[in-house]
Amino acid sequence: MLEQYVHALAGTLAPSLLVVGCSVLLTVGEGKNRPRSKYWRLYGLGIGVLAAIVFALLRTTAVLDRRSTLNLPLLVLCVLTDVLMLVVVARAWRTTTDWQQHPMQLHMANAIAALNIAAATLYALPDVILQLTRVVEPGDSPFTSEMLIRSLGFVLGIATAVLAAVTVYTLRTVQIRRWFTIAAWCVVAINVVLHFTELIVLLMNMLILRLHGAPFRALISVHNATIPLTLAQLAVFVLPILASLVLGFKAKAPSQANQAQVRQTSALRRHAISSALWVCVALIAVSIALTVGVAQTRKVPTLSEPEEYALQADTATITFEQVADGHLHRFAYKAKDGTAMRFIVIKKNGGAYGVALDACETCGDAGYYEKGGKIICKRCDVAINLATIGFKGGCNPIPVPYTASGGHITIHTADLDALSSHFK
């Protein structure tokens, strides 16, 4: 339950805050005095959610076996629209003030916001939706108390993110709009960092781009800071929280005010203080949920024990049946120079096999483990693209030559001996 809760909360918080920020900064007029682009952002959200559901379904049915097919152009779109959104948010006050005098500016802002919301939602939600496919363990009955608990964690995670964003929406008081704008701009700026980092990581996994040394370590540091950066998107609303508290405590009715003005000032004071306090509660609750929850779900795993296989004078043989389940299988080997080595085998989509050392050029012999259907480097926590296992580059495991025929995978021990230096 905790894993589903944390994953759903972290995955939906950023898009929820983006939607709320745009709703506060770009909504104008009432009734008929509203622009024709008033629903574009809502359409963008709807399209993003529906497309995410379709993409998640295609992934579960293996119709689309490579995420990069969609994620590469989608991340490019996310980065481009994120940068445009920085301008939209910064100019939101000018765009919405007397918008009838320049309606095209508002329409353009709403169009960019709709596209950005759709792209960000489509990128974030498929992984969240795919958590539903993991509420039932393979071989278990789909109708168990454990399944219900995991499903509840998924629902509560989404509900927490949406509730936190709705709470932030109560800070929309005009008197503190400047501070709200700064916070919303920071939300978009963090999206730029997150999406750009994911784009570079994807290009590395696709062997289009290669980074080594300090640039690689810097990239991985940002990549592994997804949760802190997501929390920062909510934390930046401390600025309008403080502004709202100051407004509430300083709000006073004029000395010659009538009863209506006194009631109006009193209502403003109550709203400003209560909104600030509720957002503080949301910020603390989400921070605890993500920090404690992530700490529990990211406990350093131990590598699985090596499996048995047939080892002859000059060949190591593994049957297709032994690795047919598509999961990671680990094997041990002692090289001629006495070095204890490990190598992994995994059946990939389409029937191909990934055969590689349990080590990489960047992180050494830390090894890999499987979690949530992903192969993850134990040292840097990078999820390895399954399709690239067996190819050089990035944090991919170092490939080992092999042949596959007659129901067996055959590896020449001389090829393993030649790679023993990676375990010294």
Side-chain angles (χ1 to χ4, degrees):
M1 175 180 177
L2 181 60
E3 185 173 354
Q4 280 74 28
Y5 175 80
V6 169
H7 198 94
L9 172 56
T12 54
L13 183 60
S16 298
L17 291 174
L18 177 63
V19 171
V20 165
C22 292
S23 297
V24 172
L25 298 178
L26 296 178
T27 298
V28 294
E30 296 180 357
K32 295 182 179 180
N33 187 31
R34 300 179 69 182
R36 65 173 182 268
S37 59
K38 59 184 177 181
Y39 294 123
W40 291 0
R41 286 175 280 109
L42 181 60
Y43 296 155
L45 178 61
I47 291 172
V49 171
L50 290 176
I53 293 173
V54 171
F55 181 52
L57 290 174
L58 292 177
R59 287 283 297 154
T60 58
T61 56
V63 173
L64 189 63
D65 58 1
R66 297 188 65 181
R67 293 180 58 187
S68 57
T69 303
L70 175 68
N71 281 355
L72 180 57
L74 181 58
L75 280 171
V76 171
L77 179 62
C78 283
V79 172
L80 291 176
T81 55
D82 286 341
V83 173
L84 291 175
M85 276 300 297
L86 292 175
V87 179
V88 169
V89 172
R91 292 181 53 85
W93 180 254
R94 293 182 181 180
T95 302
T96 55
T97 301
D98 296 326
W99 67 270
Q100 295 91 342
Q101 306 300 321
H102 43 78
M104 287 306 299
Q105 292 185 25
L106 182 58
H107 298 331
M108 184 63 70
N110 277 325
I112 293 172
L115 191 59
N116 186 237
I117 290 171
T121 303
L122 176 54
Y123 181 74
L125 287 193
D127 279 345
V128 175
I129 297 170
L130 285 172
Q131 286 294 306
L132 286 174
T133 65
R134 299 170 188 146
V135 298
V136 181
E137 294 291 344
D140 290 352
S141 169
F143 303 104
T144 63
S145 58
E146 186 68 20
M147 180 274 291
L148 292 176
I149 291 174
R150 290 173 179 164
S151 299
L152 180 61
F154 174 83
V155 173
L156 287 178
I158 295 177
T160 302
V162 173
L163 183 60
V166 170
T167 305
V168 168
Y169 183 74
T170 63
L171 292 172
R172 63 188 184 278
T173 307
V174 174
Q175 290 88 336
I176 62 168
R177 181 175 175 121
R178 177 180 62 178
W179 298 105
F180 192 99
T181 301
I182 294 174
W185 191 90
C186 291
V187 169
V188 178
I190 294 173
N191 275 341
V192 174
V193 174
L194 290 171
H195 290 149
F196 182 74
T197 301
E198 292 297 325
L199 176 59
I200 299 301
V201 169
L202 180 58
L203 290 174
M204 290 183 61
N205 283 335
M206 294 176 68
L207 307 181
I208 297 175
L209 178 68
R210 293 189 178 185
L211 291 178
H212 301 282
F216 178 81
R217 289 191 293 272
L219 177 72
I220 294 306
S221 297
V222 177
H223 180 69
N224 290 341
T226 300
I227 296 298
L229 288 173
T230 300
L231 275 175
Q233 290 183 300
L234 183 58
V236 294
F237 286 95
V238 166
L239 295 174
I241 286 174
L242 294 176
S244 187
L245 286 173
V246 171
L247 173 65
F249 287 118
K250 284 189 173 182
K252 294 181 180 180
S255 56
Q256 303 298 324
N258 54 37
Q259 288 299 315
Q261 291 175 316
V262 171
R263 288 193 298 270
Q264 184 178 20
T265 302
S266 179
L268 174 62
R269 182 187 301 112
R270 289 195 305 271
H271 173 79
I273 294 175
S274 63
S275 293
L277 293 178
W278 277 114
V279 177
C280 278
V281 170
L283 174 57
I284 294 172
V286 172
S287 298
I288 293 175
L290 286 183
T291 52
V292 176
V294 169
Q296 291 297 315
T297 58
R298 287 188 176 179
K299 287 182 177 178
V300 178
T302 55
L303 299 181
S304 60
E305 291 296 322
E307 303 177 24
E308 295 183 356
Y309 62 100
L311 182 61
Q312 299 175 351
D314 58 352
T315 60
T317 305
I318 300 163
T319 65
F320 288 173
E321 183 180 0
Q322 188 173 355
V323 295
D325 57 7
H327 292 293
L328 182 147
H329 295 265
R330 194 182 327 275
F331 304 92
Y333 172 74
K334 188 172 183 179
K336 287 185 177 180
D337 62 5
T339 302
M341 303 175 62
R342 302 184 310 274
F343 63 95
I344 58 176
V345 178
I346 186 168
K347 185 177 181 181
K348 303 191 288 186
N349 295 325
Y353 294 91
V355 181
L357 295 183
D358 195 20
C360 76
E361 297 282 359
T362 304
C363 297
D365 61 354
Y368 300 85
Y369 65 94
E370 184 176 359
K371 182 178 180 181
K374 297 179 180 179
I375 306 302
I376 302 173
C377 174
K378 184 180 178 182
R379 179 160 297 166
C380 68
D381 289 333
V382 166
I384 307 303
N385 185 346
L386 186 61
T388 66
I389 294 180
F391 296 90
K392 294 181 179 180
C395 203
N396 282 339
I398 298 167
V400 174
Y402 74 97
T403 58
S405 63
H408 296 84
I409 296 171
T410 302
I411 304 170
H412 291 287
T413 56
D415 291 326
L416 290 173
D417 293 334
L419 298 170
S420 65
S421 61
H422 295 287
F423 288 88
K424 292 181 179 179

